[in-house]
Amino acid sequence: MSTKKSKTDLGAGSNMPNKKVKDAEAVMKKVRDLGRLLKDSPEVERTLAELNLSYACREVVDKNAADVLDEIEAALYQAATSILQGEGFTYDIPSRSKINQMYVPELDRIVLKEQIGKRPFANTHTCRKATITTRILGLVHQLCIKRIHVTKRDLFYTDVKLFEDQRESDGTLDDLACMLGCTRSSLHVVASEKGVVVGRLAFEEDGDNIDCQRMGVGGKAIPPNVDKVVLEEAKDDAQDSTSKLFLRKLKTTLKIPVLALVDSDPYGLKILSVYMKGSMNMSYDSSNLTTPDIKWLGVRPSDLDRFNIPEQCRLPMTEEDLKTGKRLLEEDFVKANPDWVAELELMMKTKEKAEIQALSSFGFQYLTHVYLPLKLQEGDWI
């Protein structure tokens, strides 16, 4: 007698009434319908300038190396002139603090307001920060002249004694992008490769043809220099800024649906919200880094009971989890989505969380053979 499990056997853990995994065509039908809707609906992307808001906001744009060089040299010329006049020098740095950020419903993302902070060299509190700013301006100037790209880690190691901690050089890079009015990638400094692409996607990377189907189960690392990527094709089912840039390019170029699978905890939802609405850290570049209308497929708090996730696979939320969940419920972009509010409130009420791996309690293939097919088949996303 065969011991091989059927699809209906694999679904034993699910509490979705009378739902069976159907054939591949039926599983993908609602996803394809969503894809057709995206392609048939003209995507009108509004800008801050069009909104005529009563308050000023700051956004950056992609700039070529020559334009970035002009901006850097203008900033350094201004500093040199101020020194020669006996006044020392200071940098005007846009504030990236939470108080200087806001959610704009019309754009459905977080943006940076216009508050400016001073960073004088002749001040004991800001002297070191002004020195780091000057040093990184010089390094970026070299990169733009040579037309080369380096990683943030490479940049840090050019002057470890001055920077001391990579967070110092990373944060100053973001400050400079704001100050110069350009995206961080325009500074020729990229994030290290973190995300991977798996599935039926082909693209051109700096002249090389990449077919992700030939990359095995490990996938292809997302190129750090996304502006050199040309997307060619994606078939039906195809936290770092590089991944965000790539995802946005994928959706806007190919007009395909984006569905997210994250852990059922406040941190998982926080990651999803950053991809959709932008992060506080890089709110100045939200127009380039956010992907609108990502669907939250799972794992959602309501799935824990619907799919009978065992108690031993559910974890109690920590105090930090509860604080993060509470902060998310206070965010304007969360309040704007009643389905998100309902899921978060359920999580806060049960004080339970679960990782994607909790689904493996029903078998190692339950995620790919049952959970995901059922969710896609029923169009069960928000």
Side-chain angles (χ1 to χ4, degrees), residues 3 12-13 49 52 89-90 125 135-136 156 172 175 177 202 209 222 270 292 305 327 343 349:
T3 59
N52 293 318
F89 73 94
T90 185
H125 295 294
R135 176 69 169 131
I136 292 182
F156 167 67
T172 304
D175 290 341
N209 293 316
I222 293 176
K270 182 79 173 174
D305 284 341
R327 284 195 294 268
E343 292 286 353
K349 179 181 177 182

Side-chain angles (χ1 to χ4, degrees), residues 257-276:
V258 178
L259 296 95
L261 179 68
V262 296
D263 291 333
S264 179
D265 60 21
Y267 187 66
L269 191 52
K270 182 79 173 174
I271 292 172
L272 176 55
S273 71
V274 166
Y275 274 87
M276 292 177 68

